Amino acid sequence: MSRIKIMFGHAGVSLMALAAVVAFVAMLWGAPLWSWPLVPLGGAAQMLNEYNLHRHVFHLAPPKRQWAFDLLYRAHYGHHDFPTNHGLFFVPLWVALPMLVGNFLLVWGIAALLGVEASIWIATAIVPLGGVLTFLGYEWFHMTAHLTVPKTAVELHVTRLHNQHHFRDFNKWFHVSPGGEIIDRAMGTDIDTEALKQQQRVAFIRTLGMQPDDPRLLAARAKFAGKYGLNEAEVARAARG
């Protein structure tokens, strides 16, 4: 299966791509020329958003209540549990869409309150164009890092760093997009070359430090197995660690 088919077979990715296309066409139709240079600003903001969401939300301490645990399992825990499952590669639509709408309204509202002219075009350039294009780049590189396919030099670099997050220390290297490692280094969540030589696999690394047969994990796997095509052997193997 091609990477494009895998990626755009996910409803959240397709909807976000549509949002970027609509934003681009809208800006061609009516945006002032001075608003176009704001597009890269949206990309930079999304890079920070990617890091903060991954580190501070997707890696929250596992909730005790099963319904809350299930939300995080679908959002991210499940991806660590089954890192090669295509259905668990991507940010769920119920995470991506509220962030898109919320960030758009936030930027538009701030610009309008400051009395900036054409505030809606500022918001359009920053969020559904610059931000979403960067988000789509993240989804592409993240998917590629987990697939055994021919990779460019940049994709290989991303894969090496992201594998350290999955299989060395899940509290490090939260970024995935190319260049995002600058943020990890600034925030102290990188692994330097010398440290990596001594870094041992964290216990129960695929379950983010939880026992692999934790009842919450068992319940979440049972709940999502059918949706993501997990067979009984895979689920049983995950429970053994």
Side-chain angles (χ1 to χ4, degrees):
M1 188 181 295
S2 72
R3 281 183 280 179
I4 289 183
K5 187 174 181 180
I6 293 171
M7 182 163 160
F8 288 98
H10 186 269
V13 173
S14 295
L15 184 61
M16 295 295 275
L18 178 61
V21 170
V22 170
F24 180 73
V25 171
M27 287 196 61
L28 285 176
W29 172 71
L33 288 176
W34 58 261
S35 66
W36 284 92
L38 296 175
V39 173
L41 179 61
Q46 176 58 27
M47 295 280 274
L48 287 170
N49 185 53
E50 177 188 324
Y51 176 88
N52 285 314
L53 183 67
H54 190 181
R55 180 180 181 182
H56 299 298
V57 179
F58 287 169
H59 278 256
L60 280 171
K64 293 181 179 180
R65 295 183 180 276
Q66 189 65 46
W67 68 266
F69 185 90
D70 287 349
L71 286 176
L72 279 173
Y73 190 90
R74 172 57 194 96
H76 196 64
Y77 294 173
H79 172 57
H80 277 266
D81 209 11
F82 299 98
T84 60
N85 185 285
H86 294 181
L88 293 164
F89 284 168
F90 306 104
V91 175
L93 178 60
W94 50 265
V95 173
L97 186 58
M99 292 196 66
L100 170 64
V101 174
N103 287 336
F104 180 82
L105 294 175
L106 177 65
V107 174
W108 185 12
I110 290 173
L113 285 173
L114 293 175
V116 179
E117 183 182 355
S119 57
I120 193 167
W121 294 119
I122 292 174
T124 301
I126 291 175
V127 181
L129 194 50
V132 170
L133 288 176
T134 304
F135 169 81
L136 293 172
Y138 154 80
E139 292 286 34
W140 176 267
F141 282 101
H142 181 234
M143 171 192 64
T144 298
H146 288 281
L147 294 174
T148 304
V149 294
K151 300 178 185 183
T152 65
V154 174
E155 289 168 344
L156 283 171
H157 174 68
V158 168
T159 299
R160 282 193 293 268
L161 291 184
H162 193 55
N163 280 345
Q164 292 173 31
H165 172 72
H166 272 273
F167 306 116
R168 291 282 187 171
D169 187 343
F170 51 76
N171 289 313
K172 301 290 186 180
W173 289 127
F174 289 102
H175 227 286
V176 181
S177 299
E181 61 266 27
I182 294 171
I183 299 175
D184 272 294
R185 292 193 174 103
M187 298 296 183
T189 51
D190 61 318
I191 306 175
D192 65 46
T193 304
E194 290 304 311
L196 184 60
K197 294 177 182 178
Q198 306 300 322
Q199 185 80 29
Q200 299 300 314
R201 287 168 61 100
V202 175
F204 312 127
I205 193 160
R206 286 200 177 185
T207 51
L208 304 182
M210 289 179 284
Q211 295 282 342
D213 60 351
D214 186 293
R216 293 166 295 179
L217 280 168
L218 297 179
R221 290 177 190 134
K223 179 176 181 177
F224 293 111
K227 182 175 182 180
Y228 297 108
L230 300 168
N231 60 46
E232 290 183 8
E234 288 177 297
V235 172
R237 187 165 54 247
R240 292 193 299 268

